[in-house]
Amino acid sequence: MGYCVYMTRAGYALQAKLFAEGGDLKITRVEVGSGVLPQDADWRTLAGLVRSRARATSTAPLRKDCTVSLEIEYRSDLDAGIEEPFPINEFGLWAVGAEGKEALILYGDLSDCPDTAVPLQYGGCVRRYPVLLEMGPEANARLDYPAGAWATHDELAGAIAAHSGDGEAHPDLRGLYAGLNARISLLELMYATQVSGNPFTVTFESLTGLACAGVWNQPLARLEF
């Protein structure tokens, strides 16, 4: 059946309600599974996945005219209890239905070209599936569950660069670097400098026996002014 997305009867009922009355499309949860829908099954009556395996998340829904678009995402870190790989043959999207109760409104069939869910212990993975919904003209869309740590590649790259450039970030690594740099400087001093007096060295890993001014930054082994 390939990559197909079906709207259930509960989804059609919600669509009719939003078209007639307006309101919010309130998405409550997303799941992925490894089940395969039988050939004679009626996808319109589905209330859940054939074999649910793990939670998923999604982007915040974006509305344009009468369409709502979002991207469903499975990430291995959302469910650390998964220990063995499994094929992602299906996904489901639940929302507050026309009767005010949670209902499966969309079923995604990926069984012809399934992706593999890779557990964290084997390196993990991220799988994404775009979805486009036709809703009522007065409907708004929102997530009623936390979307988790969703971020685009550019957002993550920018956040990592800003964090790494922060002078207070990674004090342990900066301290190790400062220690290595001091040892290299000492070696250069010992073997590349003509010393005629009594040499000595001072580090700020400890202030024992030292009289100094400034603020001691112990993690970075330095004095700050």
Side-chain angles (χ1 to χ4, degrees):
M1 298 174 72
Y3 181 177
C4 301
V5 180
Y6 303 101
M7 185 172 287
T8 65
R9 284 179 179 169
Y12 282 120
L14 177 59
Q15 183 186 54
K17 179 179 185 296
L18 294 176
F19 185 84
E21 304 174 8
D24 291 343
L25 167 63
K26 302 174 184 177
I27 299 174
T28 56
R29 62 184 165 112
V30 183
E31 294 180 0
V32 296
S34 59
V36 177
L37 197 64
Q39 291 291 332
D40 58 348
D42 185 354
W43 45 264
R44 292 169 297 183
T45 63
L46 290 174
L49 301 184
V50 177
R51 187 185 180 193
S52 179
R53 296 297 298 270
R55 293 181 300 115
T57 186
S58 75
T59 56
L62 298 177
R63 177 191 168 194
K64 183 178 181 181
D65 298 326
C66 293
T67 63
V68 173
S69 62
L70 57 90
E71 195 169 47
I72 289 176
E73 179 183 87
Y74 168 77
R75 297 198 318 269
S76 303
D77 64 318
L78 290 173
D79 199 336
I82 302 297
E83 297 182 352
E84 297 296 331
F86 66 87
I88 302 177
N89 288 322
E90 54 183 348
F91 66 75
L93 185 145
W94 281 257
V96 177
E99 304 302 322
K101 298 180 180 179
E102 185 183 64
L104 177 69
I105 64 168
L106 284 180
Y107 178 81
D109 182 357
L110 314 171
S111 58
D112 276 2
C113 303
D115 288 315
T116 299
V118 181
L120 280 177
Q121 61 179 329
Y122 300 123
C125 69
V126 177
R127 309 298 187 202
R128 292 174 178 154
Y129 310 99
V131 175
L132 186 68
L133 306 177
E134 294 283 344
M135 305 306 295
E138 302 300 326
N140 295 312
R142 76 184 197 206
L143 291 176
D144 267 18
Y145 70 94
W150 178 280
T152 66
H153 177 271
D154 291 340
E155 289 171 340
L156 283 176
I160 291 172
H163 176 69
S164 297
D166 184 352
E168 301 302 320
H170 308 294
D172 52 341
L173 295 179
R174 292 177 184 272
L176 289 173
Y177 172 78
L180 289 173
N181 192 46
R183 294 176 65 184
I184 292 173
S185 298
L186 177 60
L187 289 173
E188 291 175 342
L189 177 65
M190 292 173 61
Y191 293 102
T193 304
Q194 184 67 36
V195 179
S196 58
N198 296 318
F200 66 92
T201 60
V202 174
T203 69
F204 296 108
E205 294 178 0
S206 170
L207 296 186
T208 302
L210 297 178
C212 53
V215 178
W216 181 35
N217 187 331
Q218 184 176 12
L220 295 183
R222 70 187 185 191
L223 285 178
E224 298 174 347
F225 302 91

